[in-house]
């Protein structure tokens, strides 16, 4: 695996790979990699000739009150893990090259970024779509993989890719969970032992929702009440939102209809750590 730091070098490499007729797969990350990230890497390896992974902790997607400074980093471990996966290129640019002084261009998707994560983290998606556009332009992928764990982010990227006519296929890979159900996240490292136990209420409440839906419940308000019951069992949990949305448009729903698919999404603070999780359901 070659580590590429400079934007110019990455441009040249990607340009040459395209000239050589190679299909470039791309997995953008903020590092501190776990099995969830590695599952995206494996998907990219399966579906392209060359896989590029980027590690860049993107400052524009963090609010001043958020965890940019303490966001976990371990470049050496990440490099070793990506080497083991036989990744071809690791793009690891400096902040000052991505956002030089005077940088003033942002990419903003409408509607879908205004709800849920967009309500709780007002400028977050603008930062995400801006950095992903920048990285797409540098890496020039044919194919890019995002995780369903950040379901709204994945839909926002799909919308941006389609609206801006990026000629890139976007794939969404399933959530990878710890054995006990906790969705993998770099932020799980912030949890102490008690919080780690309490964090299970996110997946437990989603499993309960899934079970109720399987048994025929179609009223989301009934399901939500029961999910809140699960969350309230954890002393350190503070609920931000529980919401059902149509899977494509992300418009909020109260009743599940036959033939449609939905996300049930949850955001919850466990102690000082904000976690998100979701469930994709198809109503037959
Ligand atoms: O999901 C992430 O890790 C980030 O939001 C992304 C897509 C790498 C953009 O910084």
């Amino acid at each position: 695996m070659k580590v590429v730091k400079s934007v110019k070098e990455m441009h040249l490499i990607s340009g040459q790979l395209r000239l050589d007729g190679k299909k470039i797969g791309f997995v953008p990350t903020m590092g501190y990699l776990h099995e969830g990230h590695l599952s995206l890497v494996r998907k990219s390896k399966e579906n392209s000739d060359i896989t590029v992974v980027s590690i860049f902790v993107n400052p524009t997607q963090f609010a001043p009150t958020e965890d940019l400074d303490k966001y976990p980093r371990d470049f050496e471990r990440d490099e070793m893990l990506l080497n083991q996966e036989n990744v071809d290129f690791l793009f690891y640019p400096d902040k000052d090259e991505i956002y030089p002084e005077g940088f003033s261009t942002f990419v903003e998707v409408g509607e879908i970024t205004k709800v849920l994560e967009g309500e709780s983290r007002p400028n977050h998606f603008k930062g995400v779509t801006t950095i992903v556009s920048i990285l797409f332009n540098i890496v020039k992928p044919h194919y890019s993989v995002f995780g369903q764990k950040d379901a709204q982010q994945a839909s926002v990227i799909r919308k941006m890719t389609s609206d801006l006519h990026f000629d890139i296929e976007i794939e969404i890979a399933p959530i990878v969970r710890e054995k006990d159900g906790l969705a993998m996240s770099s932020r799980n490292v912030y949890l102490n032992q008690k919080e780690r136990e309490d964090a299970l209420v996110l997946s437990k409440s989603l499993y309960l929702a899934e079970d109720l839906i399987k048994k025929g419940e179609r009223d989301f308000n009934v399901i939500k009440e029961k999910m809140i019951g699960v969350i309230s069992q954890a002393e350190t949990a503070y609920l931000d939102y529980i919401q059902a949305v149509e899977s494509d448009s992300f418009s909020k729903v109260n009743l599940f209809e036959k033939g449609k698919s939905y996300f049930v999404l949850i955001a919850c603070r466990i102690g000082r750590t904000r976690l998100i999780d979701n469930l994709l359901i198809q109503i037959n």
Side-chain angles (χ1 to χ4, degrees), residues 28-30 37 56 58 61 124 128 131-132 146 150 153 157:
T29 80
M30 298 207 298
H37 296 110
F56 182 69
N58 174 39
Q61 69 190 72
H124 171 68
V128 170
I131 189 61
V132 172
F146 293 81
D150 295 295
Q153 166 174 282
I157 303 272

Side-chain angles (χ1 to χ4, degrees), residues 26-31 37 40 54-62 71 99 121 124-125 127-132 135 145-147 150 153-154 157 186-187:
F26 177 46
V27 182
T29 80
M30 298 207 298
H37 296 110
L40 311 183
S54 64
I55 294 182
F56 182 69
V57 181
N58 174 39
T60 62
Q61 69 190 72
F62 290 79
Y71 194 83
Y99 296 118
R121 307 180 68 191
H124 171 68
F125 286 124
V128 170
T129 44
T130 300
I131 189 61
V132 172
L135 293 169
V145 196
F146 293 81
D150 295 295
Q153 166 174 282
I157 303 272
S186 304
R187 289 189 168 100

Side-chain angles (χ1 to χ4, degrees), residues 23-51:
K23 178 173 176 185
I24 305 175
F26 177 46
V27 182
T29 80
M30 298 207 298
Y32 211 72
L33 306 176
H34 50 68
E35 272 301 310
H37 296 110
L38 300 182
S39 75
L40 311 183
V41 169
R42 287 170 200 144
K43 263 236 153 13
S44 170
K45 297 267 318 165
E46 256 168 55
N47 294 307
S48 42
D49 301 316
I50 296 288
T51 289

Side-chain angles (χ1 to χ4, degrees), residues 248-263:
D248 292 332
S249 63
F250 260 75
S251 45
K252 296 181 181 178
V253 293
N254 289 321
L255 271 183
F256 295 125
E257 288 174 34
K258 201 172 167 179
K260 291 193 171 178
S261 67
Y262 301 92
F263 282 114

Side-chain angles (χ1 to χ4, degrees), residues 39-223:
S39 75
L40 311 183
V41 169
R42 287 170 200 144
K43 263 236 153 13
S44 170
K45 297 267 318 165
E46 256 168 55
N47 294 307
S48 42
D49 301 316
I50 296 288
T51 289
V52 181
V53 176
S54 64
I55 294 182
F56 182 69
V57 181
N58 174 39
T60 62
Q61 69 190 72
F62 290 79
T65 51
E66 291 179 351
D67 56 344
L68 173 63
D69 291 338
K70 67 169 186 146
Y71 194 83
R73 292 160 168 91
D74 190 343
F75 180 76
E76 267 148 43
R77 183 172 165 276
D78 289 347
E79 189 183 9
M80 183 200 71
L81 290 171
L82 296 174
N83 249 317
Q84 281 171 2
E85 297 296 326
N86 294 317
V87 165
D88 300 282
F89 295 96
L90 166 54
F91 181 47
Y92 182 52
D94 278 339
K95 184 174 114 279
D96 294 346
E97 209 188 351
I98 296 294
Y99 296 118
E101 225 181 284
F103 180 94
S104 64
T105 304
F106 291 87
V107 176
E108 201 168 358
V109 174
E111 223 47 16
I112 185 177
T113 64
K114 306 292 178 236
V115 293
L116 302 161
E117 286 303 284
E119 266 172 76
S120 302
R121 307 180 68 191
N123 281 314
H124 171 68
F125 286 124
K126 187 173 157 190
V128 170
T129 44
T130 300
I131 189 61
V132 172
S133 303
I134 294 171
L135 293 169
F136 279 176
N137 282 329
I138 299 169
V139 174
K140 306 185 229 315
H142 297 87
Y143 169 85
S144 188
V145 196
F146 293 81
Q148 188 203 307
K149 158 78 176 17
D150 295 295
Q152 191 176 2
Q153 166 174 282
S155 291
V156 168
I157 303 272
R158 271 226 161 107
K159 181 79 179 120
M160 174 194 81
T161 305
S162 147
D163 285 355
L164 296 185
H165 299 275
F166 279 109
D167 189 13
I168 301 170
E169 182 192 342
I170 303 295
E171 167 122 20
I172 315 296
I175 298 177
V176 178
R177 297 182 179 280
E178 303 284 356
K179 280 205 181 82
D180 59 6
L182 182 67
M184 289 200 185
S185 161
S186 304
R187 289 189 168 100
N188 290 347
V189 71
Y190 298 149
L191 302 169
N192 65 30
Q193 201 184 337
K194 160 88 175 117
E195 291 166 349
R196 174 65 183 74
E197 277 165 34
D198 282 358
L200 289 179
V201 291
L202 279 92
S203 53
K204 277 189 185 154
S205 68
L206 290 168
Y207 294 149
L208 174 65
E210 187 172 33
D211 197 43
L212 291 167
I213 293 163
K214 273 192 189 141
K215 288 183 177 140
E217 183 57 73
R218 295 293 178 260
D219 184 340
F220 181 63
N221 288 317
V222 172
I223 295 169

